[in-house]
């Protein structure tokens, strides 16, 4: 017959008969302490790694926000400067001192708001997108794609946006419906001519931007070029569309 099963290790008794068991338990306690220490080290390392990752993510987010803020402030400042130059030129062209237009702070504020809230962030994300899609500066196809997409996408978008922004934020144009009607007329009459004039300036400027200027400085470079463009844009967006001429033509056609 098979012997009855007996535990190999026994807990130590009051006497010395349970030596093996005592040694086992003693060794077990030591192993448990080592295991607990190892667990603590692993948990501490994991916590440290998590904190490091969290700090890195926070740092990356802060850097992105800072970069976006710089782009917005730069574009806003350049828009104000361009409008100030435009108003100065308009005032200098006045032949009659009595009819010389006064400097409009509200107009400069509108243009500054456009650059700060719309134009700067728009450029920031657009150039980053183009750089991801076409990253090789020395590749002719990448360069050409950036140039073409910038003109056929960003150009018209900026013009429609600034015409809409300028008209809708000008109280002297009347009610919101009247401002909206003026915006549609403005876009209808001035979008294509302004865009064609813009291409004459921006194609060479964008060529330099995409081929030479590093991504972190592209918004700054284009905004500096934009001082001249904002000068023109301020003139274009603050010149009323020929609504009266439209009505006259419409009445003539009806007759």
């Amino acid at each position: 017959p098979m012997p009855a099963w007996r535990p190999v290790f026994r807990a130590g008794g009051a006497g010395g008969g349970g030596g093996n068991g005592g040694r086992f338990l003693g060794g077990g306690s030591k192993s448990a302490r080592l295991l607990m220490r190892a667990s603590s080290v692993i948990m501490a390392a994991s916590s440290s790694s998590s904190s490091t990752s969290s700090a890195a993510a926070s740092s990356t987010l802060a850097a992105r926000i800072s970069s976006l803020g710089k782009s917005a402030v730069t574009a806003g400042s350049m828009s104000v400067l361009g409008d100030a130059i435009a108003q100065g030129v308009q005032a200098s062209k006045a032949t009659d001192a009595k009819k010389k237009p006064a400097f409009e702070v509200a107009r400069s504020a509108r243009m500054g708001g456009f650059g700060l809230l719309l134009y700067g962030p728009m450029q920031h994300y657009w150039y980053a997108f183009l750089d991801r899609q076409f990253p090789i500066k020395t590749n002719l196809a990448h360069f050409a794609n950036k140039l073409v997409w910038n003109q056929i996408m960003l150009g018209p978008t900026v013009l429609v946006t600034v015409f809409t922004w300028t008209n809708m934020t000008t109280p002297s144009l009347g009610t919101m419906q009247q401002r909206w009607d003026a915006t549609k007329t403005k876009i209808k009459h001035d979008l294509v001519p302004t865009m064609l004039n813009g291409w004459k300036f921006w194609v060479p400027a964008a060529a330099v931007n995409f081929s030479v200027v590093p991504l972190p400085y592209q918004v700054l470079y284009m905004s500096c070029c934009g001082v001249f463009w904002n000068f023109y844009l301020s003139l274009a967006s603050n010149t009323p569309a020929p609504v009266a001429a439209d009505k006259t033509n419409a009445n003539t056609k009806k007759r």
Side-chain angles (χ1 to χ4, degrees):
M2 295 181 63
W5 178 86
R6 290 179 301 170
V8 177
F9 300 105
R10 297 186 301 275
N20 288 339
R23 285 194 297 271
F24 172 78
L25 288 177
S29 299
K30 185 176 181 180
S31 299
R33 286 196 296 271
L34 290 174
L35 183 59
M36 291 177 65
R37 288 179 184 176
S39 299
S40 299
V41 171
I42 293 172
M43 291 177 65
S46 176
S47 177
S48 176
S49 176
S50 177
S51 300
T52 302
S53 300
S54 181
S58 299
S59 177
T60 302
L61 178 61
R64 289 180 179 176
I65 293 174
S66 176
S67 178
L68 175 61
K70 288 178 181 177
S71 298
V73 171
T74 299
S77 302
M78 298 304 173
S79 295
V80 171
L81 181 57
D83 179 71
I85 295 173
Q87 291 198 52
V89 170
Q90 286 177 315
S92 67
K93 289 183 177 180
T95 55
D96 189 349
K98 294 182 179 179
K99 294 182 179 180
K100 185 176 181 179
F103 186 84
E104 296 182 51
V105 176
R107 171 175 152 175
S108 288
R110 281 195 297 270
M111 294 304 296
F114 164 72
L116 178 69
L117 302 176
L118 298 173
Y119 193 29
M122 196 184 301
Q123 289 184 97
H124 177 86
Y125 288 113
W126 175 248
Y127 293 143
F129 169 77
L130 286 182
D131 199 66
R132 288 194 303 270
Q133 300 303 313
F134 311 106
I136 307 174
K137 289 183 179 292
T138 55
N139 185 293
L140 183 60
H142 282 219
F143 169 77
N145 269 286
K146 280 185 176 181
L147 199 60
V148 171
W149 282 109
N150 196 60
Q151 298 310 311
I152 67 175
M153 292 296 293
L154 184 64
T157 301
V158 169
L159 291 177
V160 170
T161 303
V162 72
F163 288 163
T164 304
W165 172 271
T166 302
N167 281 277
M168 297 304 291
T169 57
T170 304
S172 61
L173 292 179
T175 64
M176 295 301 290
Q177 183 59 48
Q178 290 173 322
R179 297 182 206 179
W180 178 241
D181 292 338
T183 299
K184 291 186 291 185
T185 303
K186 180 72 175 175
I187 293 172
K188 176 183 176 182
H189 280 272
D190 294 345
L191 176 61
V192 174
T194 306
M195 184 171 60
L196 293 177
N197 287 330
W199 286 352
K200 297 175 186 177
F201 173 76
W202 281 118
V203 169
V208 174
N209 186 46
F210 293 134
S211 61
V212 178
V213 182
L215 178 61
Y217 301 101
Q218 286 184 1
V219 172
L220 175 61
Y221 166 78
M222 294 296 270
S223 293
C224 289
C225 294
V227 171
F228 301 99
W229 174 243
N230 284 318
F231 158 72
Y232 172 73
L233 204 58
S234 177
L235 294 176
S237 61
N238 287 281
T239 302
V243 180
D246 274 359
K247 290 182 178 179
T248 302
N249 293 335
N251 292 332
T252 302
K253 289 179 181 180
K254 287 180 181 179
R255 292 175 186 176

